[in-house]
Amino acid sequence: MAKVIRIGMLGFGTVGTGAYRMLEDNRVAITKKIGLPFEVVKIGIKDHTKDRGINDSLFTTDLNSIIEDPTIDVVMELIGGVDPAAELVEKALINGKHVVTANKELIAKHGSRLVHLAKSKGLDLHYEAAVGGGIPLIQPLKHQLAGNDVIRMMGILNGTTNYILTMMEEEQADFGVALAEAQAKGYAEADPTNDVEGIDTGYKISILASIAGGKQVPIEGIYREGITKLSITDIEYADSWGYKIKLLGISDFVGPDTVRVRIHPTMIKSSHPLASVNGVYNALWLHGDFVGDVMFSGRGAGSDPTGSAVIGDFLDVGRNIANGGSGSAIPYDLGMNTANMDDLETAYYLRMIVADQPNTLGEIAMVFGKYGISIAEMQMKTLPSNQGEIVFLTHEAVEREFQKALSEVAKLPCIVKVATFVRVDG
Ligand code: NDP
Ligand code: HSE
C-alpha cells in the first residue's frame, strides 16, 4: 500500500484555516504533484470550545501529542510567537519530523539554529509564508538569485501598515479605523503593535538579509520606527512634492558580512515601482550585481495567500518524502555585522509647528546650516492661534548630523513642536 503523508498542524487560525482549506480544495492536484496521498491527522489549538466547522475529533489542546506522535511526518507550525513555538519546532525536528512554518519571529530569532538542526537530521524546515504572505521571496533568494551579490533590498513587507497608509491616503481614514479593518480581515498580528511599530517588518527584512548574506542578522542591530507618528497632513505634503510614504524594510550590504538594516516610514518618488503597491499588497524590490533590478509583489497577508505559501512549502516536503530525499534545508550561520544607522546618508522631510513671528525661519535655517544640512524645498502656511507650519525637504545629509540639528531646533523658543520627520529615498 502506498504511503500516506501524515500532517500534524499546530494552530488553526487565519493561516491554519487557509492552509487546511487549500489542502482540501486542491487535494487531487496536490496529491498528483507530490506523488503520494496526504492526510491532516491532528490539529493543535488553544481553545477547544470554538466551533471549527470540521471534524471535531481532529483537534487537541495537547500540542506535545502531535510532535511526539511517531506516525506524523510533517508538522505545520502556525501558532506564532516564540513561546511555545520554538520548543515545539525544535522537538518536532529532534523527533524526525519535517517542519513548515509561517512564523517570522521564530525564524528571525532562531532561524540559524533550527535550520542547522533540520539539516543535521536530513529534514526540511521551510518558512516561505513567514515573509510577504503569498509572494514567493524566500525560495528565489535561496535558489534563483543566490549567485548574485544582493546589494540592496527595499520591501513593503507588512500588509497591515500598507493597508492603513493606503486607507489614510485614499479615504482620509482615521488610523484607528483603518487598523480595526485590517484586524477584521485577519491581516494583523495577535498584538498589532508588532505591525504598526515596524517589528514585524523588522523580522521579515532581517530574514531576507540573512538569506542574502548567508549569516543571521542580529535583531538588536536593526534600526526601527513604525507609522504611528504619521498623519494625513504628512501624506498630503509628500503627495504635493510627488512622493508616497511607505513603511519600508531596507537592507544595504555596506561591506563584507556587514549590512545596514532599517525599518522606517520612507518617502519614495511616486514613479518608483514600490509607490503603487497599495492595500494589503506587499512587494520586495532588490538590486543584484548580475540580475539588476527585480521586483516581486502580491498579497502580503490574509488566510488564502498565506495558506498558499504554506502549502507550497508542504509540496516541497512531500516531494522530498516521495523521492526518498534527505531534505533541502539551506542553513546559514550566526554572525552578520550590522552597520550603524548614524552613518546613513539620506534626505529628510521635516514638518514643524512654529510661532508665527519674525525670524523663525532664519533661526531654524541657522541651526541646519551649522550641521551642514542644506534645504532643498520648503512650504509654509499660517495656522490659527498665531502659529505656522513649516515643512522642509533637505538635500542628502548624514543621519548623525541631522539628529543633532533636530534636537537643537526642537529647543528653539520659536518651535512649538517638531511634528514629524521622514527619510526620503531617491
Ligand atoms: P491566529 O491568531 O489567527 O491563529 C493562531 C492559532 O494558533 C489559533 O488556532 C490558536 O488557537 C493557536 N494557538 C496560539 N497559541 C497557542 C498555544 N500556546 N497553544 C495552542 N494553540 C495556540 O494567527 P495567524 O494565523 O494570523 O498567524 C499564525 C502565524 O502565521 C504567525 O506566526 C503569524 O505571524 C504568521 N503569519 C500570519 C499572516 C496573516 O496574514 N495572519 C501572514 C503570514 C504569516 P485558538 O484557535 O484556539 O485560539
Ligand atoms: N501581520 C502581518 C502583516 C501578517 O500585516 O503583514 C503577514 O505576515
Side-chain angles (χ1 to χ4, degrees):
M1 206 170 69
K3 176 178 169 56
V4 175
I5 300 174
R6 290 169 64 84
I7 303 166
M9 295 181 69
L10 309 177
F12 201 68
T14 302
V15 181
T17 51
Y20 183 88
R21 223 172 326 108
M22 191 178 199
L23 285 176
E24 289 305 315
D25 290 0
N26 298 352
R27 176 179 288 278
V28 174
I30 294 171
T31 304
K32 201 167 153 199
K33 284 175 183 165
I34 292 176
L36 287 177
F38 58 85
E39 207 56 59
V40 174
V41 295
K42 277 187 195 165
I43 306 176
I45 36 82
K46 196 159 50 176
D47 177 359
H48 215 147
T49 65
K50 286 186 194 167
D51 178 15
R52 314 276 174 173
I54 59 168
N55 180 1
D56 195 51
S57 68
L58 285 175
F59 293 96
T60 176
T61 53
D62 179 6
L63 273 55
N64 278 304
S65 73
I66 298 177
I67 54 165
E68 283 164 8
D69 181 337
T71 73
I72 287 180
D73 305 291
V74 184
V75 167
M76 293 181 183
E77 185 280 300
L78 308 170
I79 62 178
V82 161
D83 184 21
E87 198 183 332
L88 291 167
V89 166
E90 185 169 355
K91 280 191 191 161
L93 291 168
I94 289 168
N95 291 341
K97 298 173 196 330
H98 301 278
V99 175
V100 171
T101 179
N103 191 333
K104 45 278 166 99
E105 181 174 357
L106 176 71
I107 297 300
K109 291 181 177 169
H110 300 283
S112 170
R113 182 172 65 79
L114 292 172
V115 181
H116 271 292
L117 175 60
K119 182 78 182 167
S120 72
K121 307 274 292 178
L123 296 164
D124 280 328
L125 170 56
H126 290 323
Y127 47 91
E128 183 64 63
V131 186
I135 318 169
L137 295 176
I138 306 275
Q139 289 289 7
L141 268 182
K142 278 186 190 165
H143 297 283
Q144 293 79 9
L145 297 170
N148 283 266
D149 229 346
V150 178
I151 295 151
R152 170 165 249 220
M153 291 188 277
M154 290 168 79
I156 297 172
L157 297 172
N158 183 269
T160 303
T161 45
N162 206 40
Y163 185 85
I164 294 171
L165 291 176
T166 305
M167 291 270 294
M168 285 169 74
E169 183 190 346
E170 292 181 355
E171 296 172 31
Q172 284 70 51
D174 173 73
F175 182 96
V177 171
L179 172 59
E181 272 194 32
Q183 286 178 294
K185 287 173 188 280
Y187 303 154
E189 294 301 300
D191 178 357
T193 311
N194 280 16
D195 297 293
V196 299
E197 294 296 353
I199 299 166
D200 179 78
T201 300
Y203 294 146
K204 290 167 174 171
I205 188 73
S206 81
I207 292 172
L208 296 176
S210 301
I211 297 169
K215 288 191 173 173
Q216 185 168 309
V217 176
I219 296 288
E220 317 76 66
I222 292 177
Y223 177 84
R224 177 175 59 75
E225 276 174 34
I227 63 164
T228 51
K229 291 186 188 136
L230 291 176
S231 69
I232 293 173
T233 308
D234 299 307
I235 292 171
E236 286 172 349
Y237 275 117
D239 191 54
S240 74
W241 272 312
Y243 289 88
K244 299 280 177 206
I245 303 182
K246 296 290 183 186
L247 180 67
L248 296 188
I250 302 176
S251 95
D252 289 303
F253 281 90
V254 295
D257 290 339
T258 307
V259 67
R260 177 181 294 115
V261 181
R262 53 196 165 105
I263 300 94
H264 51 70
T266 308
M267 271 172 60
I268 44 172
K269 278 277 182 206
S270 301
S271 54
H272 191 285
L274 288 172
S276 50
V277 175
N278 288 322
V280 73
Y281 277 74
N282 281 192
L284 179 73
W285 175 96
L286 65 78
H287 182 82
D289 58 350
F290 275 69
V291 74
D293 296 351
V294 179
M295 192 163 114
F296 303 83
S297 76
R299 286 178 196 274
S303 188
D304 288 4
T306 315
S308 156
V310 171
I311 299 312
D313 280 350
F314 168 67
L315 264 113
D316 249 16
V317 173
R319 285 170 173 145
N320 248 329
I321 294 173
N323 296 330
S326 61
S328 55
I330 300 180
Y332 47 90
D333 294 330
L334 294 171
M336 184 75 82
N337 302 309
T338 50
N340 198 322
M341 185 69 179
D342 286 347
D343 298 326
L344 176 73
E345 288 182 40
T346 192
Y348 299 84
Y349 157 97
L350 173 64
R351 180 164 66 89
M352 293 158 288
I353 309 299
V354 299
D356 194 0
Q357 65 189 35
N359 206 29
T360 293
L361 196 53
E363 287 177 30
I364 298 169
M366 183 87 87
V367 176
F368 277 97
K370 179 173 151 191
Y371 290 98
I373 297 162
S374 155
I375 293 158
E377 309 233 20
M378 193 190 78
Q379 296 188 44
M380 260 172 93
K381 75 174 176 206
T382 306
L383 300 175
S385 318
N386 291 329
Q387 292 186 349
E389 188 167 64
I390 298 184
V391 189
F392 288 155
L393 277 186
T394 74
H395 286 291
E396 278 204 357
V398 178
E399 173 85 14
R400 181 184 299 103
E401 301 304 308
F402 178 79
Q403 293 297 347
K404 281 188 208 159
L406 198 59
S407 56
E408 204 165 310
V409 159
K411 289 182 200 133
L412 291 174
C414 62
I415 295 286
V416 178
K417 71 170 176 176
V418 172
T420 337
F421 78 90
V422 180
R423 295 174 187 84
V424 182
D425 205 281

